[in-house]
Amino acid sequence: MLVLPALAHANADVEKNIADPKNWAMQAGDMYNQRYSKLKQINTGNVGKLQVAWTFSTGVLRGHEGSPLVIGDMMYLHSPFPNKVFAMDLNTQKLIWKYEPKQDPAVIPQMCCDTVNRGLAYAEGKVFLQQADSMLVALDAKTGKVVWSVKNGDPKLGAVNTNAPHVFKDKVITGISGGEWGVRGYITAYDINSGKQVWRAYSTGPDAEMLMDPQKTMTWTDGRMAAVGPDSSLKTWQGDQWKIGGGTTWGWYSYDKATNTMYYGTGNPSTWNPAQRPGDNKWSMTIFARDVDTGMAKWVYQMTPYDEWDFDGVNEMILADINVKGQPRKALVHFDRNGFGYTLDRTTGELLVAEKYDPKVNWATGIDMKSGRPIAVKKYSTAANGPDVNTKGVCPAALGSKDQQPASFDPNTKLFYVPTNHVCMDYEPFKVEYTAGQPYVGATLSMYPAPQSHGGLGNYIAWDAGTGKIVQTKAEKFSVWSGALNTAGGLSCYGTLEGYLKCVDAKNINKELFKFKTPSGIIGNVFTYEHKGKQYMGVFSGIGGWAGIGMAAGLEKDTDGLGAVGGYRELNQYTELGGSLTVFTLPN
């Protein structure tokens, strides 16, 4: 019998839903993580007239990240811990069902940087929720009843979850948090119909457990792609340190149907005291390209070998077809916590561009394009200075030039719009013993605005990924911790930590066209949809996340919240705790 090669296809239901711009059917609006909408009823000419259409309180007072999903007449909303889910009929604004899991509150202290949740996924009549306690749950979209649930990790060991699940093909993909507890990171694919585990790939350890082929998995070496070779991770750790080595996977994932490849980043190695884990600590801080069906790694690229600053590599990979140095490329663009914006060929894994997207970045002078390694500056090396020495003036701070707040890509301007942090730090590592289920950090941090600059903690920037250059910068008082949205109406919109939703002209981001103060600080992601012929735009407000942890968790000491409390102390003069969705539209 003739066996035809199977065509790579995404999930047909998800594809159909994201093809209709009236929906907001995935956290990033699409599988490429572009956060772009073709809707243009709200545009540069009329956005200034936006009014609040309606609001909704989630009843939870912690950091609200992610955004609701809209499929047809239904909106699905989520909350931080206890991870409530609401299904709302947009015709009547009636709640059709509500799901509130019974989670052990002992999970809360196991979450390093607030009890956030980055949102839901939807496919084939099911809503997928990744709970904080690591339970991955499939809910019936009509009734809210649990179809299946599966335990993804052990919260008693610090393996908790904050990420949004993603549906690619017949699988729901989820990660794990807990790098600050010595959790060994992994990513897992479950069958969307049964919840059965299909594959799991670790970030560190033996090749077989990382789903890595020493001969076929490629990496950028000496100016070209070469096979990683056997034991590529084990060789870069001392003894069994890889077993508690971090490399967690709580960011956003993207998918390229043409090659059946998913992309994601891995986080910092554990502990934050580099003296305790000499070596490159592969494959923490790494961009992974994996086959969705098997989980096998096609290529890897480590951004910050032997991380000494907690520059977690989990930020989203944006897939876009752009010109890079004059040549058309199928690109992957990644704004890393380490302050460098990377452009890679997403098919081959070749490194194309790596440049600073905040001029204040000083821990490295640049990236050596031949080796792909950062050219680190000794003065800012916490490893060279050693434990119990306070390394001062490192830029960026541990929360990076950008954290999880996702950037957007505008196919009209061909630019990337990046919410950034403009923050530096002092970093003092110390020896720490590993105890299962206890924090395994080993560093004291202080954060503050980048010196000799505009005095604020944030910038909103437009970036050319083909050349690695900042095209425009708009200064902000606080970090921009909200996900960006660009639309066919010529807009680029984002939220601020004080609580403003702002829309600017995508061609000139310093032209502020709309500004509205929501009830609390915004760390949610701006989204848009159309209902009954009208375009709406919305965003969660609810201060929290790492930047707002002082307010969210009532912390006082400057070095609390891994150093963020002191850096963002002034926030409480501008906003208060909250948990609500604000939806805007044009007047009739």
Side-chain angles (χ1 to χ4, degrees):
M1 107 186 211
L2 182 67
V3 180
L4 292 167
L7 279 173
H9 62 92
N11 183 287
D13 185 50
V14 177
E15 277 197 295
K16 182 181 94 236
N17 288 330
I18 59 180
D20 182 352
K22 292 176 187 155
N23 294 326
W24 191 259
M26 286 186 82
Q27 282 300 321
D30 62 30
M31 297 193 189
Y32 273 23
N33 278 359
Q34 291 187 352
R35 303 195 52 77
Y36 173 79
S37 168
K38 290 180 180 149
L39 297 181
K40 53 177 185 260
Q41 194 180 88
I42 301 169
N43 56 49
T44 51
N46 61 21
V47 67
K49 298 191 179 108
L50 278 188
Q51 295 177 348
V52 175
W54 55 276
T55 60
F56 176 79
S57 169
T58 63
V60 183
L61 292 179
R62 291 295 286 255
H64 282 59
E65 289 182 353
S67 76
L69 298 178
V70 176
I71 290 102
D73 289 336
M74 293 299 292
M75 179 181 281
Y76 302 96
L77 303 92
H78 67 284
S79 85
F81 189 93
N83 306 136
K84 299 181 193 179
V85 182
F86 306 91
M88 180 191 286
D89 182 337
L90 290 171
N91 295 310
T92 58
Q93 289 180 356
K94 184 182 170 190
L95 294 180
I96 303 301
W97 54 262
K98 180 171 130 182
Y99 169 75
E100 187 168 345
K102 297 281 170 272
Q103 298 186 68
D104 186 342
V107 170
I108 296 172
Q110 300 289 68
M111 303 180 82
C112 87
C113 316
D114 203 9
T115 57
V116 297
N117 180 285
R118 296 192 181 87
L120 308 164
Y122 177 96
E124 298 177 23
K126 288 186 273 294
V127 172
F128 299 95
L129 164 71
Q130 177 58 76
Q131 293 176 190
D133 63 4
S134 101
M135 294 303 289
L136 177 67
V137 185
L139 304 170
D140 184 302
K142 285 198 168 69
T143 64
K145 297 273 182 290
V146 176
V147 180
W148 56 258
S149 67
V150 61
K151 192 177 179 192
N152 184 54
D154 186 351
K156 287 192 171 62
L157 302 178
V160 293
N161 273 96
T162 56
N163 64 279
H166 291 65
V167 173
F168 303 138
K169 295 181 82 167
D170 55 351
K171 296 166 189 70
V172 55
I173 315 269
T174 191
I176 200 75
S177 299
E180 280 58 68
W181 271 252
V183 169
R184 178 184 171 211
Y186 52 82
I187 197 149
T188 315
Y190 296 96
D191 181 279
I192 62 172
N193 295 309
S194 65
K196 190 169 162 290
Q197 186 178 308
V198 184
W199 54 261
R200 172 168 285 173
Y202 284 87
S203 306
T204 63
D207 295 335
E209 292 178 21
M210 294 190 299
L211 302 187
M212 212 174 245
D213 183 324
Q215 268 65 58
K216 287 186 186 155
T217 304
M218 308 294 278
T219 194
W220 184 252
T221 314
D222 200 23
R224 61 186 180 86
M225 297 302 290
V228 292
D231 298 331
S232 60
S233 173
L234 293 178
K235 284 173 178 165
T236 65
W237 292 90
Q238 212 167 42
D240 279 349
Q241 187 78 26
W242 58 268
K243 291 182 178 171
I244 49 171
T248 52
T249 49
W250 48 271
W252 311 92
Y253 321 137
S254 48
Y255 175 70
D256 188 352
K257 171 179 153 177
T259 56
N260 195 37
T261 311
M262 67 165 288
Y263 304 90
Y264 68 98
T266 62
N268 56 289
S270 310
T271 129
W272 289 21
N273 175 12
Q276 288 180 243
R277 46 167 176 80
D280 276 355
N281 306 145
K282 289 180 163 72
W283 292 98
S284 65
M285 316 302 264
T286 296
I287 299 173
F288 270 90
R290 291 190 182 276
D291 181 284
V292 161
D293 293 328
T294 62
M296 284 304 288
K298 296 182 177 186
W299 59 260
V300 286
Y301 171 69
Q302 189 179 38
M303 294 155 295
T304 315
Y306 188 46
D307 168 50
E308 310 167 38
W309 309 271
D310 181 48
F311 291 153
D312 239 326
V314 301
N315 294 351
E316 76 285 356
M317 312 298 155
I318 305 173
L319 312 185
D321 299 345
I322 57 172
N323 279 341
V324 180
K325 297 176 177 166
Q327 299 292 316
R329 287 279 194 167
K330 291 193 176 305
L332 173 155
V333 176
H334 169 76
F335 300 94
D336 198 59
R337 288 254 290 265
N338 72 14
F340 288 87
Y342 293 86
T343 307
L344 287 84
D345 184 305
R346 68 176 182 265
T347 311
T348 63
E350 291 167 86
L351 178 64
L352 305 174
V353 177
E355 298 289 347
K356 297 175 184 182
Y357 63 98
D358 182 337
K360 289 290 171 184
V361 171
N362 66 8
W363 69 276
T365 54
I367 305 297
D368 176 340
M369 294 303 286
K370 210 160 180 239
S371 66
R373 297 173 74 93
I375 305 156
V377 176
K378 196 166 178 203
K379 178 184 173 185
Y380 301 114
S381 167
T382 70
N385 296 335
D388 308 315
V389 174
N390 195 11
T391 298
K392 294 188 169 175
V394 183
C395 307
L399 38 70
S401 294
K402 182 175 99 57
D403 200 296
Q404 63 77 38
Q405 60 270 38
S408 56
F409 170 70
D410 193 320
N412 308 301
T413 63
K414 296 278 194 274
L415 297 174
F416 293 77
Y417 296 78
V418 195
T420 74
N421 313 315
H422 195 53
V423 188
C424 302
M425 68 174 171
D426 301 344
Y427 189 114
E428 184 175 335
F430 57 85
K431 189 168 169 39
V432 59
E433 294 297 329
Y434 174 77
T435 307
Q438 293 300 312
Y440 183 53
V441 179
T444 306
L445 276 61
S446 303
M447 299 187 195
Y448 39 85
Q452 284 91 52
S453 185
H454 60 73
L457 291 156
N459 292 305
Y460 191 64
I461 68 166
W463 174 262
D464 181 339
T467 58
K469 286 192 168 55
I470 299 169
V471 179
Q472 292 166 359
T473 301
K474 183 178 190 291
E476 285 287 351
K477 182 168 180 58
F478 294 105
S479 293
V480 189
W481 207 270
S482 150
L485 170 77
N486 277 55
T487 73
L491 299 170
S492 189
C493 303
Y494 62 95
T496 74
L497 283 175
E498 307 100 300
Y500 290 105
L501 172 67
K502 294 185 175 186
C503 288
V504 297
D505 188 326
K507 289 184 179 148
N508 175 10
I509 62 170
N510 283 293
K511 204 161 151 191
E512 208 171 274
L513 303 171
F514 175 76
K515 177 178 172 181
F516 181 93
K517 194 142 198 273
T518 65
S520 181
I522 298 175
I523 62 168
N525 303 335
V526 189
F527 72 110
T528 188
Y529 66 95
E530 186 184 303
H531 185 246
K532 290 190 170 167
K534 286 198 81 167
Q535 183 183 353
Y536 294 84
M537 192 176 281
V539 70
F540 274 131
S541 62
I543 194 69
W546 194 356
I549 187 68
M551 291 186 69
L555 305 175
E556 284 298 325
K557 250 174 67 198
D558 278 1
T559 54
D560 281 352
L562 302 169
V565 173
Y568 295 86
R569 185 165 290 289
E570 221 188 317
L571 251 185
N572 64 12
Q573 295 169 31
Y574 290 86
T575 191
E576 197 35 271
L577 296 183
S580 57
L581 175 70
T582 309
V583 178
F584 301 84
T585 194
L586 293 168
N588 285 330

